Amino acid sequence: MDAFCYLFSNMDQPSIIIGGGCAGMQLIRQLLKNPQDQKGEILLIEKEKSIPGKSWCFWANKPSEYDFLVSKRWQKIAFHSERIHLAENIQPYAYHYISSEDFFDFHYELIRKSPRVKIVNEQVEAIQQTNGLFTVKTDRNDYHTNRVFNSITDFSNTPANTILLWQHFYGWFIQTERPVFDQETATLMDFSIEQGPGANFMYVLPFSANTALVEFTAFSSAESYSENHYIRQLEAYIKNRWNTNYEIERTESGKIPMSNFPFSLFNDAGAINIGAAAGAIKPTTGYAFKRIMKDTQELNHLLFDQKDRKAISSDRFKFYDQLLLQIIQHQPERVREIMTKLFSKNDWISVLKFLDEDSSLFEEISIFSSLPKRLFLKQVYQYVFNR
Ligand SMILES: Cc1cc2nc3c(=O)[nH]c(=O)nc-3n(C[C@H](O)[C@H](O)[C@H](O)COP(=O)(O)OP(=O)(O)OC[C@H]3O[C@@H](n4cnc5c(N)ncnc54)[C@H](O)[C@@H]3O)c2cc1C
């Protein structure tokens, strides 16, 4: 069958966005707001008809573009380990929660109201470019334009020495019989649980005294554990920590790559990468939402300003991430100790800034001096001599 060739009715700055996930949607919103282009057509190509729900959280100390979608904020966060139980007020920061259902409802409504955006549910199979004109080939059609944004992450040409690990998680939204949760405090990491084969912790987001998301999370070389393993861990944790009857309202699971892969701002054909494909996922934490917000705003601004777009992470922070990735890969049993030192020996505002890649060199030296020094020096040695 001949591929249908889609032509934009208005060839003034038409854009194709591949992938209607977190980055694709944020970019559409930005493009529709851009005062310098109120005409350009946008074609969104998304392979899935419906995208599984997820919880997007991030800490922030200033208002963000998506404040109106934040359905819960915690001013206090907690960290637990074998013998350490810490909770701190993180003001002026707060930990924000956005449900992906609210996020997608908002963006689909925006798209529905805009005559400029069209969505097709097709699978992109290739992106080619000749003399600045892109051809996007899907399972059904060929599309041509001169501006393509791509959110497909492609790990196929992985250089030697690439570390590819996974953050995988499985959690339950539960309703408890008794009011057991402190709804003012989100638990970022509870390392008091059994470790191995990777580094494992629980993540608890209490929405009320009776409802919470309790999520088992692992950093490991394996992409997942068996469903039974997650369930056993969750059951044991809920029993030990709250000892109450509960009902499971819904399950959330997923996996996020943790990699030193050299993500590029452009794909092989020269399309503009966005989101995870551009390196928006912080390799050692899995957080991406806020990084995508910043990057898509900048990208939209730069479209008409011809300045260079900056890489999402600087080389300095890529190097720090590299060291921790090496540890997770070869000595995951040391991660609990590292995280315990990070949270027990530093003030948490500095830690949040550091994880946001917003800290000064002085703050970073202070943080690294609180961590197991020999272990990190060994990683530096391995990095320098094994490259
Ligand atoms: C369950 C889960 C929870 C997370 N929680 C947080 C969090 O709390 N905080 C945080 O900051 N980050 C979180 N993240 C990480 C990060 O925010 C997400 O991975 C984010 O979705 C990345 O955005 P993206 O647009 O690059 O990729 P995606 O959102 O995955 O979007 C890519 C889209 O491209 C589509 N696609 C892929 N291939 C094709 C193709 N060939 N043709 C057409 N379409 C295609 C996919 O269907 C998808 O819709 C979470 C990730 C997961 C998986």
Side-chain angles (χ1 to χ4, degrees):
M1 189 178 73
D2 275 351
F4 165 77
C5 172
Y6 180 88
L7 287 175
F8 290 91
S9 56
N10 177 355
M11 284 306 282
D12 187 16
Q13 306 286 8
S15 305
I16 289 180
I17 299 180
I18 301 170
C22 185
M25 289 296 173
Q26 293 202 31
L27 183 64
I28 286 183
R29 181 169 180 228
Q30 290 298 327
L31 292 176
L32 290 179
K33 284 200 306 185
N34 194 318
Q36 294 178 63
D37 176 17
Q38 283 301 311
K39 302 195 293 263
E41 284 184 53
I42 302 164
L43 176 71
L44 174 66
I45 310 178
E46 166 56 54
K47 68 180 167 121
E48 304 293 345
K49 283 220 163 73
S50 92
I51 295 177
K54 45 182 129 161
S55 310
W56 275 308
C57 288
F58 56 93
W59 51 85
N61 62 353
K62 27 180 140 55
S64 85
E65 286 267 326
Y66 284 98
D67 269 2
F68 67 101
L69 289 182
V70 174
S71 51
K72 177 84 185 167
R73 280 185 181 79
W74 296 270
Q75 235 93 55
K76 259 173 103 177
I77 56 173
F79 174 88
H80 303 285
S81 195
E82 279 167 296
R83 284 173 293 277
I84 283 185
H85 301 282
L86 304 166
E88 277 192 25
N89 192 315
I90 53 166
Q91 275 172 309
Y93 284 84
Y95 197 58
H96 299 234
Y97 174 90
I98 293 178
S99 106
S100 65
E101 282 85 358
D102 293 343
F103 176 88
F104 285 113
D105 284 352
F106 167 76
H107 288 89
Y108 278 116
E109 182 60 13
L110 203 67
I111 291 170
R112 201 183 55 76
K113 283 191 193 145
S114 170
R116 290 172 53 197
V117 190
K118 178 174 155 58
I119 306 182
V120 291
N121 289 122
E122 293 172 20
Q123 168 133 357
V124 171
E125 290 174 344
I127 309 171
Q128 294 158 351
Q129 192 230 127
T130 318
N131 300 327
L133 186 70
F134 288 92
T135 301
V136 177
K137 289 179 176 292
T138 74
D139 48 353
R140 267 173 266 161
N141 294 310
D142 283 2
Y143 299 96
H144 303 284
T145 184
N146 51 11
R147 194 196 282 154
V148 175
F149 299 95
N150 166 53
S151 62
I152 305 174
T153 309
D154 179 9
F155 284 119
S156 57
N157 286 325
T158 309
N161 289 341
T162 300
I163 301 174
L164 178 56
L165 310 172
W166 296 92
Q167 176 180 153
H168 48 102
F169 37 86
Y170 186 101
W172 287 334
F173 287 84
I174 57 169
Q175 166 110 36
T176 57
E177 196 172 84
R178 290 186 296 108
V180 291
F181 301 118
D182 166 9
Q183 54 179 308
E184 307 303 323
T185 310
T187 299
L188 276 200
M189 291 177 150
D190 185 344
F191 270 100
S192 64
I193 63 170
E194 188 184 302
Q195 298 297 295
N200 306 331
F201 59 90
M202 289 287 175
Y203 176 63
V204 183
L205 299 180
F207 300 105
S208 72
N210 290 75
T211 53
L213 166 65
V214 184
E215 199 154 79
F216 173 89
T217 307
F219 297 166
S220 74
S221 304
E223 284 186 37
S224 62
Y225 298 158
S226 73
E227 192 172 17
N228 269 345
H229 185 86
Y230 298 125
I231 291 175
R232 270 201 317 275
Q233 296 283 333
L234 282 168
E235 284 173 346
Y237 183 73
I238 295 169
K239 185 167 191 326
N240 287 344
R241 188 138 179 223
W242 299 291
N243 194 22
T244 174
N245 290 331
Y246 59 92
E247 273 183 19
I248 301 166
E249 296 186 321
R250 111 184 124 86
T251 300
E252 172 182 284
S253 62
K255 62 175 188 183
I256 304 176
M258 307 177 78
S259 182
N260 62 352
F261 181 82
F263 292 99
S264 165
L265 296 179
F266 297 94
N267 87 339
D268 290 347
I272 301 167
N273 280 339
I274 56 171
I281 297 178
K282 168 100 175 143
T284 48
T285 63
Y287 285 92
F289 191 90
K290 206 164 75 169
R291 289 156 68 97
I292 291 173
M293 246 191 311
K294 188 169 169 220
D295 186 53
T296 44
Q297 277 165 30
E298 186 182 72
L299 192 56
N300 185 39
H301 180 66
L302 295 183
L303 283 182
F304 299 96
D305 264 17
Q306 304 308 310
K307 273 190 267 148
D308 284 338
R309 174 182 175 208
K310 281 202 272 341
I312 295 177
S313 280
S314 70
D315 288 346
R316 195 166 96 233
F317 283 96
K318 282 186 191 157
F319 174 64
Y320 301 154
D321 283 334
Q322 165 80 28
L323 303 183
L324 190 59
L325 287 176
Q326 287 174 200
I327 296 172
I328 301 170
Q329 184 177 36
H330 298 294
Q331 290 173 279
E333 69 285 357
R334 301 287 305 264
V335 174
R336 166 157 72 182
E337 174 195 351
I338 293 167
M339 291 301 165
T340 305
K341 291 202 159 135
L342 180 70
F343 281 93
S344 61
K345 294 192 181 300
N346 295 286
D347 94 76
W348 288 12
I349 301 293
S350 303
V351 173
L352 297 181
K353 275 172 71 185
F354 173 64
L355 298 176
D356 265 348
E357 307 190 351
D358 223 2
S359 45
S360 66
L361 191 57
F362 178 75
E363 286 169 311
E364 290 146 30
I365 293 169
S366 161
I367 285 177
F368 275 104
S369 65
S370 71
L371 304 179
K373 288 181 206 54
R374 263 206 215 162
L375 180 61
F376 276 90
L377 285 174
K378 193 173 140 205
Q379 305 313 314
V380 174
Y381 178 88
Q382 274 178 3
Y383 173 68
V384 172
F385 292 101
N386 288 346
R387 270 208 295 177

